[in-house]
Amino acid sequence: MSPVEIVTDILFAGMAGMTGFFAARLGGEIWSRMILKSEAATRARVKLKRCAPLIPAFEQRRAKLRIALAQSEARRRAVERQIDQFQSKLDELQQRDDEMIRIVGRKRPGCRLFKAVMVNRHVQAAIREGRPHGLLDGSWARAQHVEIWAQNLPEAKASLDSRFPVSLGFTLIEMIEPEESSGAATEGNGAAA
């Protein structure tokens, strides 16, 4: 092959390539315009135009929901902290359950404050056997303090027996009337109640 034929072939190939490129480009443009002018494209544009304002609204809603979620999470953590605090207080109170004072009756004119110390023999037996009592707390195995408002000692004992019956294992260890005057004692206890 001569150099002229080679150059001619190259020019011819280049022209054919350019013609093909422009034909493809022109065909693509015509095809894209046909697609853009079609009814489906028009419906899609109308739908996009109608839905476009929703995007910022969804963004705002998402931001609000994130804030609400963060606030809910903070409240949940605060409630968990409160539960932990209450649980620790409850554990502390259960360790100090011998300090609990039970009150029978209420302060009325003419009533005096009697103090009693009681235990429950059934609870003590259950604890010795290594099992819990079915109805009462294990604190009843130790001495429990009870305050009784009554007019006299027999009435105090009767109130105590009706509230903590012997048939259920309650045993009175000691019952005393405070030595200080009942007026001063009742005023101090009335303010505390």
Side-chain angles (χ1 to χ4, degrees):
M1 263 180 122
S2 71
V4 173
E5 289 177 342
I6 293 174
V7 171
T8 305
D9 286 345
I10 290 174
L11 285 175
F12 183 70
M15 293 279 284
M18 291 276 272
T19 305
F21 172 76
F22 285 122
R25 181 86 187 255
L26 181 63
E29 283 292 321
I30 292 171
W31 184 257
S32 67
R33 285 179 192 239
M34 285 175 44
I35 290 174
L36 289 174
K37 295 205 185 250
S38 70
E39 188 178 323
T42 307
R43 280 191 309 236
R45 276 195 298 274
V46 169
K47 191 180 259 188
L48 283 173
K49 195 177 209 180
R50 194 175 60 231
C51 294
L54 294 177
I55 294 171
F58 284 141
E59 290 295 327
Q60 289 175 352
R61 183 173 179 205
R62 184 175 69 170
K64 287 179 183 176
L65 288 174
R66 281 184 175 175
I67 291 170
L69 180 64
Q71 290 171 344
S72 296
E73 182 64 20
R75 283 194 300 270
R76 183 191 65 78
R77 280 193 224 113
V79 167
E80 281 183 353
R81 279 193 301 272
Q82 280 184 327
I83 289 172
D84 291 342
Q85 289 172 352
F86 288 145
Q87 188 63 43
S88 66
K89 284 182 182 178
L90 184 62
D91 292 343
E92 180 184 326
L93 287 174
Q94 285 177 342
Q95 292 172 359
R96 298 184 328 172
D97 58 4
D98 57 340
E99 297 175 16
M100 188 180 330
I101 298 176
R102 292 164 172 86
I103 299 174
V104 176
R106 60 183 177 81
K107 179 183 171 187
R108 298 182 314 259
C111 286
R112 295 181 297 177
L113 180 64
F114 294 85
K115 294 188 178 186
V117 178
M118 301 184 75
V119 294
N120 189 289
R121 300 294 180 204
H122 297 315
V123 174
Q124 286 178 334
I127 299 259
R128 275 194 304 274
E129 293 170 6
R131 61 179 175 82
H133 189 272
L135 299 173
L136 298 173
D137 186 57
S139 63
W140 278 103
R142 297 181 303 280
Q144 299 295 307
H145 299 279
V146 181
E147 293 184 351
I148 307 108
W149 288 96
Q151 292 181 354
N152 53 40
L153 190 59
E155 182 184 328
K157 284 186 177 181
S159 295
L160 194 64
D161 288 342
S162 68
R163 184 73 178 269
F164 302 104
V166 175
S167 61
L168 293 179
F170 292 100
T171 304
L172 178 65
I173 296 174
E174 178 183 17
M175 179 177 256
I176 57 169
E177 180 181 2
E179 293 182 12
E180 60 237 10
S181 67
S182 62
T186 58
E187 285 175 11
N189 288 325

